[in-house]
Amino acid sequence: MSKTSWPFELWIRDLTNSQRLQVGLQVGLGISTSQGLQLGFYRQTCPNAESTIHGMVQQFISKDRTLAAPLLRMHFHDCFVRGCDGSVLLNSTNTNQAEKDAVPNQTLRGFNVIDTIKSALEKDCPGVVSCADILALVARDSVAMVGGPSWVVPTGRKDGRVSIASEALAQLPSPFANINQLKQNFAAKGLSVKDLVVLSGGHTIGIGHCFVISNRLYNFSGRGDTDPSLDPAYAAELKKKCKPGDTTTVVEMDPGSSKLFDDDYYTVVARRRGLFQSDAALLNDIQTRIYVILQSSTNGITFAQDFAASMVKLGNVGVLTGSQGEIRKQCAMVN
């Protein structure tokens, strides 16, 4: 691969024939998406951008595979508030509490990865590559590097200038949510019930904090009880690791393979061992339950391609393009 080529070869082999055809058409004709994004947007202005991002993500993930999950989660949390505009990366100021400091985002990590990549790109092509695009590409490459699928990421997103903690609190899907709340969260972003159950599969990698599941284990309905939707044997295991009031311990969301992107998540949920209430909720809707059972009984027959398709949709939510937004010089602050 030439130094100036962007890393098509790295993910094209994972695409279906119809996806390859679509990629070929879009690249050959320079076709934009309906959101104004374009494959190879930086080919002329920063030809090494995507290969630089890919190479740096590889360096970080090879040193610490646990980074893949938070980097995927960061992109997800970005897109759910004001669209995929990099607003989750902004620091709070004296006059504004930013998304980053909202309770659901206080456990995010990997900001240093984004900042390091941005710094390298600013040296190569100052003021060209947006933080929002970096996040979208880093999420894809992180997943692919821990065994997951790859997907097409058209670029050309601009960075937003607004980041408000209260919006993150109101709009991000909660780990305590029931199925109706989750469906409303996703529908508000133009995402379907299928996208909800597919993107929940991202929990195949990563960890959860004991304090988030404490009420499921110890005081579910306010009477010192355990959530009846949680497998009792698994609840007993979790209680050994998570003591009441524990604010520091973490547990795997997909026990035994939390660093490998596979289809085990659906087997876990089908066995009533989903870590969060939002995982267990997938069994409380006919459409999501059928999907969980299908993937758990077929070794994830369609999960990889479904996840790729839903990630493409997620990456298109509320994007800023053209004269909207800006290209931040530093991802943590507006210009």
Side-chain angles (χ1 to χ4, degrees), residues 128-303:
V128 173
V129 183
S130 70
C131 301
D133 275 342
I134 293 171
L135 255 185
L137 291 162
V138 165
R140 177 192 69 190
D141 291 351
S142 297
V143 167
M145 284 169 197
V146 292
S150 195
W151 55 88
V152 174
V153 180
T155 42
R157 295 167 187 78
K158 290 290 181 66
D159 296 321
R161 299 186 181 95
V162 178
S163 183
I164 301 169
S166 59
E167 291 183 348
L169 199 56
Q171 295 173 36
L172 286 170
S174 165
F176 310 109
N178 63 39
I179 192 64
N180 290 329
Q181 291 166 328
L182 291 169
K183 284 160 76 170
Q184 287 165 8
N185 279 135
F186 277 72
K189 303 303 169 188
L191 297 169
S192 68
V193 177
K194 182 175 181 181
D195 294 320
L196 157 61
V197 66
V198 169
L199 292 174
S200 295
H203 285 178
T204 183
I205 50 173
I207 48 90
H209 290 74
C210 283
F211 66 81
V212 179
I213 58 166
S214 185
N215 72 314
R216 283 196 88 190
L217 299 178
Y218 297 109
N219 199 25
F220 185 67
S221 63
R223 296 194 300 272
D225 54 341
T226 301
D227 182 352
S229 73
L230 189 61
D231 171 56
Y234 189 49
E237 278 180 46
L238 288 172
K239 285 178 180 178
K240 290 176 188 170
K241 296 173 185 170
C242 298
K243 301 301 180 189
D246 184 341
T247 59
T248 54
T249 305
V250 296
V251 288
E252 295 176 310
M253 290 193 284
D254 180 0
S257 66
S258 66
K259 296 176 190 174
L260 177 67
F261 198 100
D262 56 22
D263 54 86
D264 279 357
Y265 169 78
Y266 295 104
T267 303
V268 166
V269 171
R271 293 175 64 198
R272 296 170 51 221
R273 293 183 165 217
L275 192 63
F276 302 127
Q277 285 164 247
S278 57
D279 297 317
L282 298 178
L283 296 176
N284 297 332
D285 171 88
I286 185 68
Q287 193 176 344
T288 55
R289 184 167 72 248
I290 285 171
Y291 189 87
V292 168
I293 292 166
L294 171 69
Q295 303 308 325
S296 65
S297 60
T298 59
N299 294 319
I301 188 167
T302 64
F303 173 51

